[in-house]
Amino acid sequence: MATQIFKKLSPAAALFRRTKTTSAQYVASRARDPTFEKLMEKYKNLLKVISIQDLILASNSTPPSVSLDFLHRLSQTLHLNRGPAAFLRNYPHIFHIFNHPVKLQPFCTLTPAALKIVRLESEAIENSLPLAVTRLVKLLSMSLTKKLPLRAIFKVWRELGLPDNFEDSVISRNSDVFSLQDGNEPNTHILVLNDSEEFKDCLVPAVEKWRVMECCKEDCSVDRTDIQYSFKHGFPPGMRLRKNFKVKVKEWQRLPYVGPYEEMRVGEIKRTKNGVMRMEKRAVGIVHEFLSLTVEKMVEVEKISHFRKWFGIDLNVRDLFLDHPGMFYLSTKGHRHSVFLREAYERGCLIEPNPVYEARRKLFDLVLFGRRGLDRGGDKSKSVDMSEGDEVREMYND
């Protein structure tokens, strides 16, 4: 693992020293952040809601609907431990259960409020297509060969704010920027970034923008040499920061490295101990930029691992997140490992929201709303207005 290698090389390299023998123990020993833990406790139910919503929208019926029997067969895959009916009834503002007049069995469809959110998200994605193209260009620019497997892009299309038909709406319509090549395996394709000067000025890492803002502050007392290679840090509440640890963090912050969009000479970097340390910091810079490109500044660790080889990262990605708790937060809620970009969040919400995130947050608000707004008989006593999201967020934050 990364930390085991760096421990042998130099004291500065063993900045975040691994004390447990297994990966499971290392994950369990991480410092917990109550805000992110509370967010993921609710977010894991949102992921189930999205999975069912996608199944409903993919159906050919009018209106779109799926049978509860079909969902029951997928209960284990969807992690519906108590069955689909019990789960769906927890979210009456999103799902409506009815008896099909022809097939004479219970079916599930989306409520008008949920369909409105689907349209809002679709419109937000359509309106932000130029940004989605830029994100895809940046992602390809971080690859050593300016190429990425299309199946890896499919893993994170939602995270990047791409439309579900992005092959046609983004790749085909921008043939001067992107092209597809046949992969080494049958029925596989490689997405290639063509030579394009149009996006050259866009290839500035998010951390560079933060450094400029820090230096431009009126009350800035940070020396340029101290912040030239630094990343923003904010550790979990209650995490013990010993003096020795703070010194090592400061040394790591000053360590030069190759940026995510800069050319990397692999052989030269691996030749020295200092070069290996810089390679580790470059990997941190890449995953930091990857998270910055996502709509919600979060992604499943498994998904980002599909890009590891193409980005030239020879380290365990999950260990990188655990080794740098001041920058990333790893959650294990919802039968998956998800990582957040810590600096992008405050009180469980994005500090700088975007239209796609805001549309998706409205669905999250309905998940948080649960069964509120129902009378004792289970019927809606009032319609849910989209403006109720602020009220739900206040309840959640409290």
Side-chain angles (χ1 to χ4, degrees):
M1 297 301 175
T3 44
Q4 292 173 330
I5 296 173
F6 303 140
K7 183 177 178 180
K8 296 177 182 178
L9 294 175
S10 79
L15 170 58
F16 303 102
R17 188 164 296 170
R18 188 166 180 173
T19 58
K20 298 295 181 180
T21 56
T22 68
S23 295
Q25 288 175 320
Y26 192 29
V27 172
S29 67
R30 74 192 188 283
R32 306 296 176 91
D33 190 316
T35 301
F36 284 107
E37 289 295 299
K38 186 176 181 180
L39 173 64
M40 277 305 297
E41 183 64 35
K42 301 294 184 181
Y43 199 87
K44 66 182 184 182
N45 290 328
L46 172 64
L47 295 175
K48 298 177 185 179
V49 166
I50 291 174
S51 296
I52 297 175
Q53 175 184 273
D54 288 346
L55 290 173
I56 293 174
L57 294 175
S59 66
N60 296 323
S61 58
T62 304
S65 60
V66 295
S67 68
L68 265 63
D69 181 63
F70 174 72
L71 293 177
H72 183 76
R73 295 196 296 271
L74 296 175
S75 290
Q76 188 172 359
T77 304
L78 298 173
H79 303 289
L80 305 178
N81 299 329
R82 297 177 57 195
F87 180 81
L88 296 173
R89 291 192 180 102
N90 286 330
Y91 306 104
H93 300 297
I94 303 174
F95 301 113
H96 172 61
I97 300 176
F98 66 98
N99 288 319
H100 198 283
V102 177
K103 299 183 179 180
L104 303 178
Q105 58 175 311
F107 269 64
C108 170
T109 188
L110 295 174
T111 64
L115 286 171
K116 182 178 180 181
I117 294 173
V118 170
R119 288 193 295 271
L120 286 174
E121 181 180 350
S122 179
E123 291 171 2
I125 291 175
E126 183 67 26
N127 293 334
S128 61
L129 274 181
L131 286 176
V133 172
T134 302
R135 291 191 195 106
L136 199 53
V137 168
K138 287 186 171 184
L139 197 66
L140 285 160
S141 298
M142 288 194 289
S143 169
L144 297 177
T145 59
K146 307 303 183 237
K147 301 177 181 179
L148 289 171
L150 192 60
R151 63 172 178 265
I153 305 295
F154 271 112
K155 294 282 185 181
V156 293
W157 68 272
R158 190 187 293 271
E159 286 81 355
L160 294 175
L162 296 170
D164 53 6
N165 65 336
F166 72 89
E167 281 188 88
D168 296 325
S169 58
V170 175
I171 297 176
S172 297
R173 292 182 186 177
N174 295 274
S175 57
D176 58 325
V177 181
F178 310 110
S179 60
L180 287 174
Q181 295 180 354
D182 291 334
N184 296 328
E185 301 175 6
N187 300 320
T188 60
H189 294 88
I190 302 296
L191 182 62
V192 182
L193 178 64
N194 301 328
D195 292 333
S196 176
E197 295 294 323
E198 181 182 354
F199 297 91
K200 196 170 183 179
D201 295 336
C202 299
L203 301 182
V204 179
V207 67
E208 287 289 346
K209 298 177 183 178
W210 169 77
R211 290 167 187 161
V212 171
M213 291 178 61
E214 286 295 302
C215 291
C216 293
K217 286 182 178 179
E218 294 182 2
D219 57 344
C220 178
S221 59
V222 181
D223 189 274
R224 180 171 176 79
T225 56
D226 289 336
I227 203 172
Q228 185 177 2
Y229 301 108
S230 296
F231 289 85
K232 187 174 182 180
H233 276 65
F235 295 95
M239 182 177 177
R240 296 168 58 187
L241 302 177
R242 297 179 180 177
K243 185 177 181 180
N244 186 45
F245 177 83
K246 292 180 180 179
V247 171
K248 290 180 179 178
V249 170
K250 191 172 183 179
E251 291 176 356
W252 186 86
Q253 291 277 54
R254 290 179 174 178
L255 180 69
Y257 71 103
V258 179
Y261 300 120
E262 298 177 42
E263 295 293 333
M264 185 186 73
R265 299 176 182 175
V266 180
E268 181 178 339
I269 288 181
K270 289 185 176 180
R271 196 172 299 162
T272 64
K273 295 179 181 179
N274 189 53
V276 175
M277 293 167 60
R278 293 187 183 191
M279 185 182 67
E280 186 264 352
K281 191 165 184 178
R282 177 183 180 274
V284 171
I286 288 176
V287 295
H288 181 279
E289 183 67 5
F290 190 105
L291 285 167
S292 299
L293 294 178
T294 61
V295 169
E296 300 177 68
K297 314 307 177 193
M298 65 166 289
V299 71
E300 288 181 45
V301 176
E302 179 192 358
K303 292 182 178 181
I304 196 173
S305 295
H306 288 276
F307 298 88
R308 189 168 60 90
K309 180 185 71 174
W310 298 85
F311 290 158
I313 299 177
D314 294 331
L315 312 172
N316 186 304
V317 176
R318 185 179 59 181
D319 284 355
L320 284 178
F321 298 137
L322 292 171
D323 289 347
H324 297 272
M327 298 166 57
F328 313 110
Y329 185 74
L330 183 71
S331 171
T332 60
K333 298 282 187 180
H335 303 278
R336 70 193 71 208
H337 287 187
S338 302
V339 62
F340 292 84
L341 185 60
R342 179 179 291 279
E343 67 195 58
Y345 278 82
E346 183 177 10
R347 297 186 67 192
C349 296
L350 275 188
I351 297 174
E352 298 180 3
N354 54 76
V356 179
Y357 167 81
E358 289 179 333
R360 292 176 181 175
R361 183 75 197 199
K362 292 181 184 297
L363 182 63
F364 191 28
D365 290 338
L366 290 187
V367 172
L368 297 175
F369 209 81
R371 294 182 58 82
R372 294 184 181 91
L374 302 183
D375 60 19
R376 292 183 180 180
D379 296 325
K380 293 181 183 179
S381 57
K382 63 176 182 177
S383 61
V384 178
D385 189 90
M386 304 309 296
S387 62
E388 290 179 346
D390 293 337
E391 175 189 346
V392 176
R393 282 192 203 105
E394 289 178 7
M395 291 188 293
Y396 167 72
N397 289 329
D398 293 340

